[in-house]
């Protein structure tokens, strides 16, 4: 039991902040994100013996987290509104322009369909490779790479439209 506890504590220490960051990107609510991470680690504790390869811990935990997020929607019906979600504030940004640019990018990422947003977040936010994303999402690697390509193109097009609108407004 002591060995299991040590393995578990090591997983929590190494992956808690990364899982929280990904959970926040999925739900855009710090409280729900923390709940998702706690549920993820609870499920991880219960099935820690099934994790045979420590190198597979990150994709394993991300898969658990994604499933926990999906369970959230199975259990509860949400009221929808037109109110914009909170944005993540990057305190390292030096200028207001940098903050605005980052907010615009985050909003466009949030508007991407799930099938494109999830692989993009797994790669950009979590630093996962194509193989890891394929394993987490239970997809073929080629499918993942296609979705990443399309996500970037959609993001690029949306940002280009914004630039064109800004140029048109300043004329």
């Amino acid at each position: 039991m002591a060995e299991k506890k040590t393995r578990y504590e090591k997983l929590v220490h190494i992956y808690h902040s990364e899982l929280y960051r990904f959970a926040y990107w999925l739900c855009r609510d710090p409280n729900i994100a923390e709940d998702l991470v706690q549920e993820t680690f609870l499920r991880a504790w219960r099935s820690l013996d099934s994790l045979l390869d420590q190198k597979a811990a990150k994709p394993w935990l991300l898969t658990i987290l994604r499933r926990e997020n999906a369970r959230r929607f199975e259990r509860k019906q949400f009221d929808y509104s037109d109110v914009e979600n909170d944005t993540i504030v990057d305190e390292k940004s030096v200028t207001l322009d940098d903050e605005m640019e980052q907010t615009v990018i985050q909003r466009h990422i949030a508007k991407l369909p799930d099938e494109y947003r999830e692989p993009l977040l797994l790669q950009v936010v979590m630093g996962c490779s194509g193989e890891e994303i394929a394993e987490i999402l239970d997809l073929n690697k080629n499918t993942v790479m296609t979705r990443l390509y399309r996500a970037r193109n959609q993001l690029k097009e949306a940002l280009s439209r914004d630039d064109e609108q800004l140029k048109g407004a300043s004329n």
Side-chain angles (χ1 to χ4, degrees), residues 8 17 44 58 65 74 84-85 99-100 114 128 144 150:
Y8 175 77
S17 60
K58 184 176 179 179
L65 189 133
E74 292 171 1
E84 285 291 323
N85 291 330
E99 284 185 35
M100 288 300 296
D114 287 344
C128 294
V144 168
R150 290 179 179 166

Side-chain angles (χ1 to χ4, degrees), residues 25 109-122:
W25 268 97
I109 290 173
K111 289 178 185 177
L112 289 173
D114 287 344
E115 68 184 281
Y116 299 128
R117 185 176 65 243
E118 278 193 336
L120 185 64
L121 291 176
L122 285 168

Side-chain angles (χ1 to χ4, degrees), residues 103-147:
T103 301
V104 167
I105 291 170
Q106 289 172 354
R107 284 189 178 151
H108 283 299
I109 290 173
K111 289 178 185 177
L112 289 173
D114 287 344
E115 68 184 281
Y116 299 128
R117 185 176 65 243
E118 278 193 336
L120 185 64
L121 291 176
L122 285 168
Q123 185 181 55
V124 175
V125 176
M126 299 304 298
C128 294
S129 68
E131 291 87 11
E132 290 172 326
I133 296 169
E135 183 181 332
I136 292 165
L137 299 178
D138 195 27
L139 296 170
N140 179 302
K141 184 183 176 205
N142 291 335
T143 304
V144 168
M145 300 314 283
T146 299
R147 288 182 181 183

Side-chain angles (χ1 to χ4, degrees), residues 10-27:
K10 187 176 179 181
L11 284 176
V12 172
H13 179 72
I14 293 171
Y15 295 111
H16 183 273
S17 60
E18 285 186 78
L19 289 176
Y20 176 81
R21 185 172 50 240
F22 183 62
Y24 185 86
W25 268 97
L26 289 177
C27 67

Side-chain angles (χ1 to χ4, degrees), residues 12 18 21 39 77 84 89 93 131 134 156 164:
V12 172
E18 285 186 78
R21 185 172 50 240
E39 277 298 316
Q77 296 296 322
E84 285 291 323
V89 177
S93 292
E131 291 87 11
K156 185 177 173 181
E164 304 235 344

